[in-house]
Amino acid sequence: MTGRQHHQRNVVISNLFLGCQQLKLFLRSQRQSARIGVGLENLVCLLFLITAYLLTPLTTFAQAPPIRENQTAIQNAHDLYYAQKYSEAVEAYQALLKTPLRQHSKDAIRMNLGRSYAKLGDDALALQSFYAVIDDDPDGSYASQAVHRIGALFRDRYQYKEAIARCRQLAGKYPNTQTAAIARYLVAQYIFADGDYDKAIEDYRSFLNDFPSSPYRNSALNSLVRLYRLRHRYIDAEELIRDELRQKPSDINLIERLADLYKVQEKYDEALSLYRSALEQNPKNTDILKKLGELYAERGQQDLAAEQWTKIVQDDPDQAYRYQQLGSIYTSHQMYEKAVEAYETAIGLNSKDAQLYNRLADVYKIQGQVDMAVNTYLRALSVVDIGYSGRDTLVQNMAEIYEGVQQERLLEQVIDRIQVSLRAAPRNPSLTLALAEVYFYRGNLDLALKHFKRLRQLYPADRGRILEKYAQILERNKNPKAADFYQAITELFPNTPLAWTARMKLAQFYERWGRWKDALTVLTSMTQRSSQPAAQLLLGNVWLHGIRDPGAALQVYLGLANQPLSTDQKMQVRLGVAACYILQGKFEEAESTLRPIADVNSNFKAEAQKLIGDAHLLRGDIEAAVTAYKRVLDIAMSNPLSNDSLDRIVLIQSNSDYSSEPLKRYLEALRSDLSGETEDALRLCQGTMKEYPTALIVDDLWMLIGGIHQREARYTDAISAFQHVAILEGSPIAAEATAKIADIYRWYLNEPGKAQETYSALIQDYPESVIVAYARQQLDTLMKESR
């Protein structure tokens, strides 16, 4: 029975007895008039109670029927949230809040709803959800979470003053509750993080005084002691700890904390006495043994230090992790021989632990004993089987011993040694993988791939995950060889989910590199056998932005519209349809498709608004385009969409000469290019420059021409077009044009020398350009590759 039902029952019973008392008073008045006797009075009261009880609805005493939640809908909503599909999660949670829910479920839903709003950037609705949880029960566990989330909403942006203000409001609104306790604790934390140490000390002291039983008390106490130490207020820190010890004299943590305080003040005798006292209560406490040994080491008593540290392993002599801990302590105190001994003992107990070999190799590297470090790594590779945790770090750590030429020499020697071992055991999968990995880190990617493929025969349990890992490394480094690795996955592991993922990665990689026809080939083969929306969406994007056939793209998007899609996928389809309409000149249809998306809070609001701007721009309505692009900046101040919108605004405002006629011609050429009519685009560009040779937009026309030639693999013509921009005096996009020339030399013509020369010229000629950082990065990479 719930509290509310208990209350209802008690009210009914009280009312019955009140009625009975009133009836008795009436009967007594009648008895005094000699009309009835005492027996009759009691009988009448008894009959009244029985009748009233029987007439009381049974539901008054019965438990309320149990709430029947839609558990499937709740789990589906949570799945959307944890899949980071926040727009869809919001819709699902809002629908659930209109259904019957237990309080626990309701609070959990409102917490995730608030988090979803926060992820979508809607602070107001996020806060509304969190505050609602607190209002229901400021002493509840979910209220505690809500307070943390309210503070974190601002703390994560380093807006400490706003976070502090919010928490102070909560503490004032719900005094003497768990909410107030947590809010006050967080206030002190945020003040500490904001760097106002003296104010933080005041707030921590106030919190400890007002909430002595809070579960955050120990954390606050630790922070306050730390602040006292930072402020060198050692007497205050000691007084605080001793006050606590008076209440809990056997608290080992407090004794240890006081010993630490003495140690930092170099009061070694007092610290030593306290550490020993703590060890008497808990002789197996490895943290205290470590600290006691460190105290001896600081006093120069190395033998006594080692004696204490050795005790760490005495009670667990067969546990490798204890010797690993001991080895780490010896290493930090430069006792390298003992560190080696400890790690070797640990390896003897657990020879498959790659991390132990890495630590042992680190000791040798610190001492400059590179040969011993390499021997340790090779020994590990011959012992640690594939699939064991940390095995994949061995070759990587070995490769990082040196850089440049020294690294190449080292890895060449390692290759020779592994090949010798392989001749003795040619079917050893661990050695085969090691050889592939060393070739990979040496940059011999074709040989690496050859041995990764051979591993398939020797270690079928892998199922392609190793090859996928190295394909991802190449992809992150923007290395075109990633395509070969993903292609190998599709060949070696066909008809598997991994192969499907690899094809998607391969298509995305081709898309990123502008290899549109290759991307189209992969996606077409996929979509013939699979109607998965992700592949179809990518196919539509390739048709639209790569092949530049809005008609073909529109057919893909319209076909997707009839399939069951997630909310995000539906939005992507609508955006794709609208983009196709824009390039087909159907501007009104495009805007009617985009407006509902741009007018609501979602992940796609800015993209829809940007496309509305593009529709106005390509239609020639320049003022409306500027207004639309400015709205993008209001939605998101710093992302690729806002940067593109700002570029469009600058383009419009910087090219108003000749009554904006050259600008309008440029926009016609741009639309022709985006629609796949490249020859028309080139003709419009050349005609505009001929008619308006001194127009401000000439450099943008040359950039458009260069982009068309580059996309069509006419690299010499592309370089020539970009050079026209690079030599234009005062052109704001000269640095960008120079970077494009360098990129062509590097990525398409395979002329690293000319690429280096061009990147260097860019850095020298345009030191204030934002592109300089990119040029330096590319130049550094090229110089490393040339060593």
Side-chain angles (χ1 to χ4, degrees):
M1 186 176 288
T2 66
R4 179 174 295 179
Q5 291 165 339
H6 277 293
H7 176 70
Q8 289 175 341
R9 184 194 66 179
N10 293 335
V11 167
V12 170
I13 293 172
S14 297
N15 288 337
L16 286 174
F17 279 99
L18 179 61
C20 183
Q21 291 299 321
Q22 290 172 343
L23 180 59
K24 275 190 173 185
L25 289 173
F26 171 75
L27 292 173
R28 283 173 186 170
S29 69
Q30 296 301 312
R31 182 160 53 84
Q32 289 169 359
S33 302
R35 293 180 185 176
I36 63 173
V38 176
L40 181 60
E41 173 190 328
N42 291 334
L43 179 61
V44 171
C45 286
L46 180 60
L47 290 172
F48 168 80
L49 286 172
I50 293 171
T51 304
Y53 186 88
L54 292 173
L55 292 175
T56 301
L58 293 176
T59 54
T60 302
F61 299 101
Q63 290 189 6
I67 294 174
R68 295 187 177 180
E69 300 176 326
N70 187 339
Q71 289 294 334
T72 302
I74 293 173
Q75 187 57 52
N76 289 341
H78 289 330
D79 289 344
L80 290 170
Y81 170 77
Y82 290 114
Q84 300 181 8
K85 298 178 179 179
Y86 300 117
S87 298
E88 297 173 61
V90 164
E91 292 181 16
Y93 285 137
Q94 287 174 334
L96 280 168
L97 288 173
K98 298 174 183 177
T99 66
L101 293 168
R102 297 186 184 93
Q103 191 62 44
H104 175 85
S105 299
K106 186 177 182 181
D107 287 342
I109 286 169
R110 286 191 298 196
M111 284 300 300
N112 277 0
L113 179 61
R115 292 186 183 104
S116 298
Y117 281 131
K119 293 292 185 180
L120 295 171
D122 196 329
D123 289 356
L125 289 177
L127 290 169
Q128 181 180 316
S129 295
F130 297 140
Y131 281 128
V133 173
I134 299 171
D135 284 338
D136 269 5
D137 183 5
D139 280 312
S141 61
Y142 280 103
S144 302
Q145 296 180 41
V147 176
H148 278 285
R149 292 314 310 163
I150 290 169
L153 196 63
F154 302 100
R155 177 208 62 199
D156 292 345
R157 304 170 191 158
Y158 302 100
Q159 297 173 335
Y160 291 112
K161 288 180 173 56
E162 181 66 24
I164 291 165
R166 295 279 179 173
C167 288
R168 287 200 190 282
Q169 289 171 1
L170 288 168
K173 186 176 180 180
Y174 307 99
N176 304 317
T177 65
Q178 185 69 11
T179 289
I182 295 166
R184 290 272 300 280
Y185 168 75
L186 290 177
V187 165
Q189 263 202 324
Y190 296 151
I191 293 173
F192 188 179
D194 201 29
D196 191 345
Y197 295 163
D198 293 328
K199 186 68 176 68
I201 287 173
E202 292 177 19
D203 277 80
Y204 275 124
R205 287 181 64 92
S206 175
F207 167 79
L208 289 169
N209 289 332
D210 293 345
F211 300 97
S213 60
S214 170
Y216 293 93
R217 180 175 179 81
N218 283 338
S219 176
L221 191 70
N222 288 336
S223 296
L224 185 52
V225 170
R226 182 181 170 200
L227 280 164
Y228 279 142
R229 287 174 59 172
L230 286 170
R231 283 304 198 205
H232 302 288
R233 292 171 58 175
Y234 299 118
I235 295 175
D236 290 328
E238 182 178 347
E239 182 182 343
L240 177 66
I241 297 171
R242 287 201 177 277
D243 284 343
E244 293 291 314
L245 274 170
R246 276 189 280 272
Q247 301 175 43
K248 295 177 283 186
S250 300
D251 190 316
I252 292 179
N253 291 327
L254 289 172
I255 296 171
E256 182 182 354
R257 203 172 293 137
L258 185 57
D260 293 342
L261 184 64
Y262 284 137
K263 181 183 171 187
V264 77
Q265 298 176 78
E266 298 184 1
K267 295 181 179 180
Y268 294 127
D269 291 337
E270 291 91 334
L272 185 63
S273 175
L274 286 167
Y275 283 138
R276 285 174 173 168
S277 174
L279 279 174
E280 285 176 5
Q281 296 184 54
N282 188 354
K284 297 182 181 180
N285 190 312
T286 57
D287 287 336
I288 298 176
L289 285 169
K290 178 183 175 184
K291 289 179 179 180
L292 182 57
E294 287 172 346
L295 190 150
Y296 282 127
E298 287 179 21
R299 298 176 67 171
Q301 297 171 296
Q302 300 293 336
D303 291 340
L304 289 175
E307 180 184 334
Q308 297 303 319
W309 291 328
T310 303
K311 293 177 183 177
I312 291 174
V313 299
Q314 283 180 352
D315 292 313
D316 294 307
D318 298 326
Q319 298 299 317
Y321 77 95
R322 289 295 190 197
Y323 288 95
Q324 180 178 344
Q325 185 180 8
L326 187 59
S328 178
I329 293 170
Y330 284 138
T331 302
S332 65
H333 287 82
Q334 301 178 14
M335 300 169 70
Y336 299 124
E337 289 185 11
K338 288 186 175 295
V340 169
E341 182 181 342
Y343 284 129
E344 287 289 6
T345 303
I347 290 170
L349 293 168
N350 187 2
S351 62
K352 303 288 188 180
D353 188 340
Q355 190 61 33
L356 294 174
Y357 295 97
N358 279 323
R359 294 286 183 88
L360 177 57
D362 287 341
V363 176
Y364 288 128
K365 285 191 287 186
I366 291 170
Q367 300 176 87
Q369 299 177 22
V370 174
D371 288 342
M372 292 298 293
V374 171
N375 289 340
T376 302
Y377 287 126
L378 290 174
R379 174 180 157 202
L381 288 169
S382 66
V383 173
V384 181
D385 296 329
I386 298 173
Y388 273 74
S389 175
R391 188 214 168 278
D392 56 338
T393 64
L394 294 167
V395 173
Q396 182 179 352
N397 290 340
M398 181 166 52
E400 290 173 353
I401 293 176
Y402 292 125
E403 291 185 357
V405 175
Q406 285 181 299
Q407 183 189 70
E408 287 188 22
R409 289 173 182 165
L410 171 64
L411 294 181
E412 193 62 45
Q413 294 171 7
V414 171
I415 288 170
D416 290 341
R417 292 179 63 176
I418 293 175
Q419 286 177 331
V420 170
S421 299
L422 268 173
R423 281 195 284 273
R427 298 191 60 79
N428 184 313
S430 187
L431 289 173
T432 301
L433 175 57
L435 187 58
E437 289 172 324
V438 176
Y439 274 130
F440 182 89
Y441 285 107
R442 193 178 182 277
N444 304 116
L445 298 180
D446 290 333
L447 285 172
L449 184 56
K450 173 185 174 183
H451 287 87
F452 280 127
K453 287 180 176 180
R454 184 167 178 267
L455 184 67
R456 171 76 174 91
Q457 304 167 0
L458 305 176
Y459 188 69
D462 168 51
R463 302 293 182 187
R465 293 300 177 187
I466 294 174
L467 195 53
E468 181 187 45
K469 172 196 166 183
Y470 288 97
Q472 289 172 343
I473 293 174
L474 293 173
E475 182 185 3
R476 286 195 297 270
N477 293 333
K478 299 180 180 179
N479 192 310
K481 281 290 184 181
D484 295 341
F485 278 64
Y486 281 124
Q487 184 63 43
I489 293 173
T490 66
E491 294 170 358
L492 294 174
F493 308 95
N495 304 317
T496 65
L498 186 66
W500 191 92
T501 302
R503 289 190 186 93
M504 279 294 291
K505 287 282 191 179
L506 189 57
Q508 291 165 349
F509 187 82
Y510 286 147
E511 176 196 31
R512 196 173 302 121
W513 281 86
R515 294 170 59 177
W516 301 105
K517 292 181 180 178
D518 291 330
L520 184 63
T521 300
V522 173
L523 288 167
T524 302
S525 68
M526 289 177 66
T527 52
Q528 285 174 350
R529 293 176 290 176
S530 169
S531 60
Q532 292 199 36
Q536 301 254 5
L537 281 167
L538 187 54
L539 178 62
N541 187 63
V542 168
W543 278 118
L544 180 61
H545 299 294
I547 307 300
R548 305 207 171 197
D549 187 338
L554 184 60
Q555 292 302 311
V556 175
Y557 291 130
L558 292 177
L560 270 170
N562 298 321
Q563 295 185 25
L565 304 172
S566 67
T567 301
D568 283 3
Q569 288 170 337
K570 289 176 183 176
M571 293 296 104
Q572 292 175 52
V573 168
R574 291 173 192 168
L575 292 170
V577 167
C580 294
Y581 284 155
I582 291 171
L583 296 180
Q584 291 178 337
K586 301 175 182 178
F587 300 112
E588 292 181 2
E589 291 94 328
E591 188 161 359
S592 66
T593 303
L594 293 166
R595 184 57 61 191
I597 306 174
D599 289 343
V600 298
N601 286 323
S602 74
N603 295 333
F604 303 95
K605 182 181 178 74
E607 188 173 353
Q609 187 61 49
K610 163 68 167 49
L611 284 172
I612 290 172
D614 292 344
H616 288 305
L617 185 68
L618 295 179
R619 183 165 51 188
D621 192 348
I622 293 174
E623 291 184 5
V626 170
T627 301
Y629 288 136
K630 285 182 178 177
R631 285 178 185 156
V632 177
L633 301 181
D634 292 336
I635 297 168
M637 281 300 296
S638 182
N639 67 19
L641 288 169
S642 59
N643 293 339
D644 288 347
S645 297
L646 187 60
D647 287 343
R648 292 290 170 87
I649 293 171
V650 171
L651 175 74
I652 293 168
Q653 295 178 343
S654 302
N655 293 287
S656 59
D657 55 331
Y658 297 102
S659 302
S660 298
E661 187 59 32
L663 172 62
K664 293 176 182 177
R665 300 276 188 90
Y666 169 83
L667 294 175
E668 288 181 44
L670 179 62
R671 181 179 161 194
S672 295
D673 179 37
L674 293 173
S675 300
E677 300 167 358
T678 54
E679 296 305 318
D680 288 344
L682 289 170
R683 186 167 57 254
L684 282 164
C685 289
Q686 291 159 351
T688 304
M689 287 191 292
K690 184 176 181 181
E691 189 170 349
Y692 300 97
T694 59
L696 296 172
I697 206 165
V698 165
D699 50 357
D700 289 287
L701 289 164
W702 276 118
M703 286 292 282
L704 183 55
I705 291 171
I708 292 171
H709 286 316
Q710 181 178 343
R711 196 172 60 250
E712 298 294 323
R714 298 192 289 262
Y715 299 121
T716 301
D717 292 337
I719 290 173
S720 176
F722 291 136
Q723 283 175 336
H724 276 90
V725 182
I727 63 175
L728 278 175
E729 186 175 350
S731 172
I733 55 175
E736 181 183 352
T738 306
K740 286 186 175 294
I741 294 170
D743 286 346
I744 290 173
Y745 282 133
R746 180 180 182 191
W747 299 112
Y748 298 100
L749 296 180
N750 194 25
E751 297 186 35
K754 288 187 177 180
Q756 280 188 12
E757 181 183 335
T758 310
Y759 285 129
S760 298
L762 189 160
I763 294 168
Q764 181 177 348
D765 296 343
Y766 308 99
E768 303 300 322
S769 173
V770 295
I771 298 177
V772 165
Y774 167 78
R776 288 190 190 280
Q777 181 186 39
Q778 300 304 313
L779 188 59
D780 288 346
T781 304
L782 282 168
M783 292 177 70
K784 287 179 182 177
E785 291 175 354
S786 65
R787 287 173 185 168

